Amino acid sequence: MLSRPGARDGGPHQAPGPAPSDATPTKPVVLSAVISAGACLLTGLLPCAVVAVIGWLAATFGGASGALQAGASAWLVAHKAGVTLGSGSITIAPLGLTLFLGWCLYRGGKSAARSSAADRTKDLLVLTGTFALVYGLGALVIALLTADGSLKVSPLSAFLGAASLALVAGTIGVLVESGAAEDIVDATPHGLRDSVPAAAAAVLTVIAIASLLYGVLLAIHFSRITGMLELLDAGVVGSVVLFAICLMLVPNMILYVVSFLAGPGFQLGAGTTIAPTGVDVGNLPALPLLAAVPADGATPTYLLALTALVPLAAGVVAGLVVVRRGLADEDSDALGWDAFALRGGMAALLAGVILFVLMALSGGSAGPGRMSVVGIPAALPAAGVLAAGMAIGASITAAVIASRRPADGEADAGR
């Protein structure tokens, strides 16, 4: 058979490689980081400004500069930068917008690594550090330009929040694009390597169940949503802005449902309680997302049952992932059921840490007075309850399936 033209084993018929002048040009590491960080700043700010301007066009007060300030403030709050307006402060991050910004930074990190062709450890560190620094400095400048009169923004919190998000998301993008992520995975012990995807599966299971429950509650109370929309009477343009706001806050509400399923519950105002043991919330703002909140009083019994079933179900999923990945390893025959059970417990612990971080980021202050406390004050106990339930489900599932594996002699006899 003839070797294809240009193949490495083509012998004398091998096509000559491209000349050095034809190779894709690369940019310096620092320049690539600066360009990518600037592109991420513009990509994140533009949608916020567009939504704010659309809202200004629908309103009968304010000016275009105020609309741009509002858009920039929303962008800053998405980085957990505190914004003070009059006597109240807004620190609750719309996680939908935060996820979008994180995705942009991830793509920016990949673009910076691709354009610079960085592959050495020193270059990767310089690339990620410069990328985060430039993005943080951009947020600091935006905070200084946004602050005016009664609107105040902490430049330090803006810098730290933006730089932290850029460092995390941008580093992941750089590692994936440069191939360093594969090297890290290869150097990771098999037990931890199997626990990470199992933990991700457990977290996604909990979030999926919470999303399903939240969607069902919204459908049950659909009449409340229509009543709120009639009360607001926002019009076509205002409805677009309201839809964008609700879309950015959906992840927050889903995490509140997660804390509800864990037991401790959440708050939608100072002195309020929304938990499986009872609801005491009073009047709520006319936001369609809040239509799913149960009325004051006792909650249905099936919600109490879900607090035990949801973490166990997520643990079972994590245990299945641990066993499936563990049995695919070459040295799986040397692993006993206790090793699989340990991996399941490690996955549950890691899933609990991830859920704690997400629940802690979902809260904050939403304004003055009563709305100064919104979120999950007991995020650590909620994550602990979920981690304990997932550990039980994951360890038992992984141990039982691993213990039922046929021995080598039994497998040979079966053949």
Side-chain angles (χ1 to χ4, degrees):
M1 298 179 64
L2 296 176
S3 299
R4 62 181 177 84
R8 292 186 178 181
D9 56 349
H13 301 287
Q14 181 177 358
S21 59
D22 297 335
T24 303
T26 58
K27 300 182 179 68
V29 172
V30 174
L31 180 61
S32 299
V34 171
I35 294 176
S36 297
C40 291
L41 282 169
L42 294 177
T43 305
L45 277 171
L46 185 60
C48 297
V50 169
V51 173
V53 170
I54 291 175
W56 166 69
L57 293 175
T60 57
F61 57 89
S65 60
L68 294 176
Q69 276 186 322
S73 300
W75 183 85
L76 291 169
V77 171
H79 295 88
K80 294 298 287 185
V83 175
T84 302
L85 183 60
S87 59
S89 61
I90 301 176
T91 60
I92 180 170
L95 293 184
L97 180 57
T98 304
L99 290 174
F100 171 72
L101 297 176
W103 178 81
C104 292
L105 291 168
Y106 167 76
R107 300 291 299 179
K110 293 188 67 175
S111 176
R114 188 185 310 114
S115 61
S116 63
D119 56 358
R120 295 185 301 175
T121 303
K122 179 181 178 180
D123 293 337
L124 295 178
L125 291 175
V126 172
L127 183 64
T128 55
T130 305
F131 182 80
L133 179 62
V134 172
Y135 190 82
L137 290 176
L140 187 148
V141 173
I142 293 171
L144 294 175
L145 296 176
T146 302
D148 183 23
S150 60
L151 179 63
K152 300 178 182 179
V153 185
S154 171
L156 180 60
S157 64
F159 171 78
L160 293 178
S164 300
L165 183 61
L167 184 62
V168 174
T171 300
I172 296 175
V174 169
L175 293 178
V176 171
E177 183 65 27
S178 64
E182 298 179 1
D183 298 335
I184 295 175
V185 171
D186 293 338
T188 304
H190 289 284
L192 182 59
R193 190 190 309 175
D194 295 341
S195 300
V196 172
V203 171
L204 292 177
T205 301
V206 173
I207 292 177
I209 296 175
S211 302
L212 179 61
L213 177 61
Y214 182 61
V216 170
L217 292 175
L218 282 178
I220 293 175
H221 300 100
F222 185 74
S223 59
R224 293 185 186 177
I225 299 177
T226 57
M228 290 179 182
L229 294 177
E230 292 177 358
L231 179 64
L232 293 173
D233 192 20
V236 177
V237 179
S239 298
V240 173
V241 177
L242 181 62
F243 174 77
I245 294 174
C246 291
L247 190 63
M248 292 186 295
L249 291 173
V250 165
N252 299 66
M253 297 303 302
I254 292 175
L255 289 172
Y256 296 163
V257 177
V258 170
S259 69
F260 183 89
L261 294 174
F266 59 99
Q267 289 183 314
L268 289 177
T272 62
T273 302
I274 304 172
T277 54
V279 177
D280 181 15
V281 67
N283 296 325
L284 291 173
L287 186 65
L289 288 179
L290 302 180
V293 176
D296 291 352
T299 56
T301 307
Y302 69 88
L303 293 178
L304 293 174
L306 287 177
T307 59
L309 295 178
V310 170
L312 288 176
V316 170
V317 173
L320 293 174
V321 174
V322 165
V323 173
R324 181 179 180 182
R325 293 182 62 89
L327 294 180
D329 294 338
E330 296 179 356
D331 57 347
S332 60
D333 295 336
L335 299 176
W337 62 268
D338 52 342
F340 285 94
L342 179 61
R343 293 183 181 186
M346 292 171 54
L349 178 61
L350 182 58
V353 173
I354 295 173
L355 288 172
F356 167 71
V357 172
L358 293 176
M359 289 188 289
L361 293 175
S362 65
S365 174
R370 183 170 179 263
M371 299 306 294
S372 60
V373 180
V374 175
I376 309 170
L380 184 59
V385 171
L386 290 172
M390 288 185 293
I392 295 173
S395 300
I396 293 178
T397 301
V400 169
I401 296 178
S403 63
R404 295 175 64 88
R405 289 180 299 169
D408 294 340
E410 297 178 1
D412 294 338
R415 295 193 186 99

